[in-house]
Amino acid sequence: MEEVINIYLQNPIWQTFWLIWMIWAIIAFTQKNDKNVIKILAIANVFWVIHFLLMWLYTWVVMVLVAIIRLYLSLKFNKNFKIFIYISLITLIVWILTFKDYSSIFPILASLLATYAFFYLERIRLRLALLLCSSFWLSYNYIHFSIWWIATESILHVVHLITIYRIIFYKQNIISYLKSKIKIDYDRYLTIVDFIRIRFKAKKK
């Protein structure tokens, strides 16, 4: 923790934009609505672009810009196979051009999985895919011993797990799950309950 604070104090302006990105990313990943996740994440990535611009890391600027375009296209052309293939190829080409060593495999897998997830997955499956993406990034940063980004991905890991838990155990999802697994005439049951309530009110009058 002390090392993370020292890194922040060394470059407070750069890292402030990272902090803003982090706050927006956490807000995005806590959303239950898939579209809100994508929209807020796109906003977050704008601050990420500024962060890398201030650090003169233009390769990462390009990669994040591709990620923003990917998010926009996944909203506008959701489940469109052609657009999905195009953006996947662009993502792959960008990463191949910046390929350094075997560790680059992890961000490539994370980016391609994220592309597929945003175009084709929903609800819990989307969150599980994003959790796996975060695991790939965590592995990449662990190899390079990047304390700052290990801390970042660890926090996002926790956020993903909490959101998955909230979606699974959200009241409406429990009812939907029970309806799909147990053959009970819920409509009839609700009708009986309403009937009892009406009769009870009638007796009071």
Side-chain angles (χ1 to χ4, degrees), residues 12-48:
I13 298 174
W14 305 349
Q15 306 304 355
T16 296
F17 280 100
W18 166 87
L19 187 60
I20 296 170
W21 168 80
M22 186 66 174
I23 292 168
W24 278 101
I26 290 172
I27 293 170
F29 292 135
T30 55
Q31 301 299 307
K32 290 176 184 174
N33 184 292
D34 296 341
K35 288 186 178 180
N36 287 343
V37 174
I38 296 170
K39 289 175 184 176
I40 297 171
L41 198 56
I43 295 169
N45 284 348
V46 172
F47 294 102
W48 212 11

Side-chain angles (χ1 to χ4, degrees), residues 91-106:
T91 302
L92 188 59
I93 290 167
V94 169
W95 276 108
I96 289 172
L97 291 174
T98 58
F99 192 91
K100 291 182 179 180
D101 52 42
Y102 75 95
S103 65
S104 296
I105 293 294
F106 291 107

Side-chain angles (χ1 to χ4, degrees), residues 8-171:
Y8 181 85
L9 293 175
Q10 286 171 11
N11 305 290
I13 298 174
W14 305 349
Q15 306 304 355
T16 296
F17 280 100
W18 166 87
L19 187 60
I20 296 170
W21 168 80
M22 186 66 174
I23 292 168
W24 278 101
I26 290 172
I27 293 170
F29 292 135
T30 55
Q31 301 299 307
K32 290 176 184 174
N33 184 292
D34 296 341
K35 288 186 178 180
N36 287 343
V37 174
I38 296 170
K39 289 175 184 176
I40 297 171
L41 198 56
I43 295 169
N45 284 348
V46 172
F47 294 102
W48 212 11
V49 168
I50 298 170
H51 168 75
F52 288 126
L53 275 172
L54 291 172
M55 295 178 70
W56 304 87
L57 297 174
Y58 296 120
T59 301
W60 286 100
V61 169
V62 172
M63 290 174 178
V64 179
L65 286 173
V66 170
I68 293 172
I69 293 168
R70 176 182 64 201
L71 290 168
Y72 170 76
L73 292 176
S74 69
L75 270 179
K76 193 170 178 64
F77 303 101
N78 191 250
K79 296 183 180 178
N80 185 308
F81 183 72
K82 285 185 179 180
I83 302 296
F84 163 70
I85 291 296
Y86 291 149
I87 195 65
S88 296
L89 286 173
I90 292 169
T91 302
L92 188 59
I93 290 167
V94 169
W95 276 108
I96 289 172
L97 291 174
T98 58
F99 192 91
K100 291 182 179 180
D101 52 42
Y102 75 95
S103 65
S104 296
I105 293 294
F106 291 107
I108 290 172
L109 290 173
S111 298
L112 292 176
L113 178 58
T115 304
Y116 176 78
F118 287 125
F119 269 88
Y120 285 99
L121 301 183
E122 298 173 350
R123 304 289 290 168
I124 294 171
R125 288 182 180 180
L126 173 60
R127 274 67 180 187
L128 288 171
L130 293 176
L131 180 64
L132 184 55
C133 289
S134 185
S135 298
F136 287 139
W137 278 110
L138 191 60
S139 301
Y140 175 79
N141 291 309
Y142 182 79
I143 291 168
H144 292 277
F145 202 65
S146 176
I147 300 296
W148 187 262
W149 287 103
I150 288 173
T152 300
E153 291 302 333
S154 297
I155 292 168
L156 293 180
H157 246 69
V158 174
V159 172
H160 287 311
L161 289 170
I162 291 171
T163 305
I164 290 167
Y165 177 87
R166 287 173 63 225
I167 291 174
I168 290 174
F169 291 97
Y170 187 59
K171 188 177 178 180

